[in-house]
Amino acid sequence: VVVMSHVHGISYGSNEAAKALSQVFLSSHREYGGLILSVEADSSGHRICTVYGLHAPSENDAERAVMAALQVTRSIEGLAESMNADLEIRTTIHSGEIYFGAFGTEQRYGTSVFGAPLQITEALLSRPLAGQVLVTAPVAAKLKSNFRTSEQEEPLTLDNPPVALFVVERVTYGASRYMQSRAEHRIIAGRNTILREVEEIIDDAIDGKGGIIGLCGEAGTGKTFLLAPIVDRWMAGGGVSVIGHCRYSTQSIPLAPITSMLLNLAGVAVSEVDQSNKEDLRESLGKYCKSGNLDELLSLLFASPAELRDQGGLLEIDERWEQVLQAIEEIVLERIREQPILYVLEDLQHADAMTLRIAHRLATISRDRSFLIVCTFRPDRKLAYLRDLLDREFVLPNLGLRELRDGVCA
């Protein structure tokens, strides 16, 4: 993934602005794992080229590149305001195959990167407006629903067929939702033993012996696939289910998946949150939160992702966040008393620190109620404490030849 940024407004001799600009780019792109390849200056400004996934490609390269670009853009806009400077930044992002290596002779050589994506991102720099992050369709496809984007009227015509272009506006929370039973059932090969054990836990939970379990495995081992029969059995027993997704793009937004789950329980979608329904939310959640911490929780629900991200560094010293955690725990407990609920937290390896803290607290609540919390995650050291608190963990290894054969034959 190639990120090309153009910064305009740093005049000759502006050492303070140049130093601040360098710190912004280095800190932001290093934070998300990018490699800054080059910085070039000309009469129109400075071009900075950064790549993601060059040495160790990952499924989150596009997300990380866009997150870094948005962070740089916010920082440059903040610098312009604080320094009363006329700074502008435009960014384009494209993905594709590039080549990296040493070129020259044994006596004289240098490292370089080349490939079509580099030329395309540079050619696109004239398209975005100041403050915009413009991505091509291949990048936008990898972002899925994690970012709010708007398609541009004029596509990229350097390639045949033309490639659509999108402006990335901001990170979204993603969606939590009540889950429905499946109309059709699919075969799950190699997981029958685990599924039988999980079904016993589900039946016990519906009967009043609650618990928290984990599904652990690498990508593609069937964690999400196993959730379908779990939800089916839970809802067949008379309970309701709600799911919250932890995403790479919301790791720096405190309680993003928990927030969307709470809104869903209150019957409000994240996209519908505004001041007009604040009193409705107060009434809906107030039935379950009697401790006086509801105002702090509502402040969280009505804060923008950018505001929450800026507050993230204050989590440990800000007592307001403790009040928010208490309010969430109280609402969850009261809601469980009202109806059997299955809470699913998916991809906890991407969870923010506050989501992990509320998960730790919920893992210690009394089990004499009709509830079940299911966490899915890949192996990650930051989850060690939570994994110790689980009532049961099911590790999903890769399927062997026998399981694959059984699945095909079935």
Side-chain angles (χ1 to χ4, degrees):
V1 179
V2 180
V3 182
M4 192 75 71
S5 298
H6 184 271
V7 181
H8 172 77
I10 298 181
S11 59
Y12 178 77
S14 303
N15 294 334
E16 183 180 354
K19 182 179 180 180
L21 177 68
S22 300
Q23 290 174 338
V24 165
F25 272 91
L26 285 172
S27 61
S28 297
H29 284 293
R30 284 179 176 174
E31 177 183 347
Y32 289 99
L35 174 65
I36 296 179
L37 288 181
S38 63
V39 180
E40 299 178 2
D42 57 27
S43 58
S44 64
H46 292 73
R47 287 193 307 276
I48 299 93
C49 179
T50 309
V51 295
Y52 285 78
L54 181 63
H55 299 298
S58 75
E59 62 184 17
N60 296 316
D61 287 336
E63 288 183 73
R64 291 189 288 113
V66 171
M67 291 289 291
L70 292 174
Q71 182 167 301
V72 167
T73 300
R74 289 195 306 270
S75 299
I76 296 297
E77 292 172 344
L79 278 176
E81 184 176 350
S82 64
M83 300 176 67
N84 195 26
D86 188 22
L87 293 176
E88 293 181 350
I89 180 171
R90 296 170 171 83
T91 301
T92 57
I93 305 177
H94 184 46
S95 64
E97 194 172 69
I98 60 176
Y99 303 90
F100 174 80
F103 301 88
T105 66
E106 292 184 0
Q107 289 74 32
R108 185 174 182 176
Y109 65 89
T111 57
S112 183
V113 175
F114 67 94
L118 293 166
Q119 286 73 46
I120 291 174
T121 50
E122 186 170 1
L124 280 172
L125 277 176
S126 62
R127 301 287 291 271
L129 301 175
Q132 285 186 340
V133 175
L134 185 71
V135 304
T136 59
V139 176
K142 296 174 183 177
L143 302 180
K144 300 178 182 178
S145 61
N146 299 338
F147 297 81
R148 174 173 290 178
T149 62
S150 58
E151 186 172 355
Q152 300 298 285
E153 293 183 1
E154 297 185 18
L156 171 67
T157 56
L158 294 178
D159 289 342
N160 189 18
V163 177
L165 301 174
F166 300 81
V167 171
V168 180
E169 298 172 2
R170 62 177 177 85
V171 177
T172 62
Y173 281 106
S176 291
R177 60 190 184 277
Y178 280 111
M179 302 166 71
Q180 304 296 323
S181 296
R182 297 171 299 167
E184 297 180 358
H185 296 263
R186 293 185 291 175
I187 296 171
I188 301 179
R191 305 296 187 215
N192 291 332
T193 301
I194 292 177
L195 189 56
R196 282 195 296 270
E197 295 180 29
V198 172
E199 288 174 344
E200 293 178 3
I201 294 173
I202 293 171
D203 294 341
D204 289 341
I206 291 176
D207 289 339
K209 186 181 178 181
I212 175 169
I213 64 173
L215 302 177
C216 176
E218 297 290 352
T221 53
K223 300 183 296 296
T224 301
F225 200 81
L226 268 177
L227 289 178
I230 291 175
V231 171
D232 289 345
R233 194 171 187 91
W234 183 267
M235 298 187 70
V240 297
S241 309
V242 64
I243 185 172
H245 300 281
C246 302
R247 306 176 188 274
Y248 186 92
S249 57
T250 57
Q251 283 186 108
S252 58
I253 302 176
L255 294 170
I258 303 298
T259 297
S260 54
M261 291 175 78
L262 288 177
L263 290 171
N264 188 261
L265 287 174
V268 177
V270 174
S271 59
E272 298 171 352
V273 174
D274 55 42
Q275 294 298 323
S276 66
N277 53 26
K278 187 171 185 178
E279 291 307 313
D280 293 336
L281 272 175
R282 183 185 297 277
E283 181 179 352
S284 298
L285 297 178
K287 296 185 297 183
Y288 308 109
C289 184
K290 309 291 185 180
S291 61
N293 295 322
L294 185 59
D295 286 337
E296 292 298 340
L297 178 59
L298 289 175
S299 297
L300 165 73
L301 298 180
F302 283 86
S304 69
E307 291 171 334
L308 289 172
R309 190 180 294 106
D310 292 340
Q311 297 178 49
L314 305 176
L315 298 183
E316 299 298 333
I317 60 175
D318 194 336
E319 65 179 16
R320 292 179 302 165
W321 285 102
E322 177 59 30
Q323 295 173 340
V324 168
L325 292 178
Q326 291 176 2
I328 292 172
E329 184 176 2
E330 183 179 0
I331 290 171
V332 169
L333 292 176
E334 291 300 320
R335 190 68 176 82
I336 288 171
R337 292 190 179 97
E338 184 177 87
Q339 186 178 20
I341 296 185
L342 167 66
Y343 292 101
V344 177
L345 278 172
E346 195 169 18
D347 289 331
L348 269 176
Q349 74 276 2
H350 295 318
D352 61 274
M354 294 300 284
T355 294
L356 288 179
R357 283 180 59 177
I358 194 64
H360 296 162
R361 293 172 76 134
L362 295 178
T364 63
I365 64 177
S366 173
R367 302 297 198 260
D368 58 351
R369 299 164 187 171
S370 297
F371 76 95
L372 184 63
I373 300 174
V374 178
C375 305
T376 74
F377 47 85
R378 300 179 194 176
D380 193 305
R381 285 182 294 179
K382 74 177 183 181
L383 301 176
Y385 181 60
L386 176 62
R387 295 174 72 173
D388 287 339
L389 297 175
L390 298 175
D391 297 318
R392 186 74 184 275
E393 178 180 288
F394 297 92
V395 178
L396 308 181
N398 290 321
L399 295 179
L401 291 176
R402 177 177 297 178
E403 290 85 3
L404 291 175
R405 182 197 62 195
D406 293 342
V408 171
C409 293

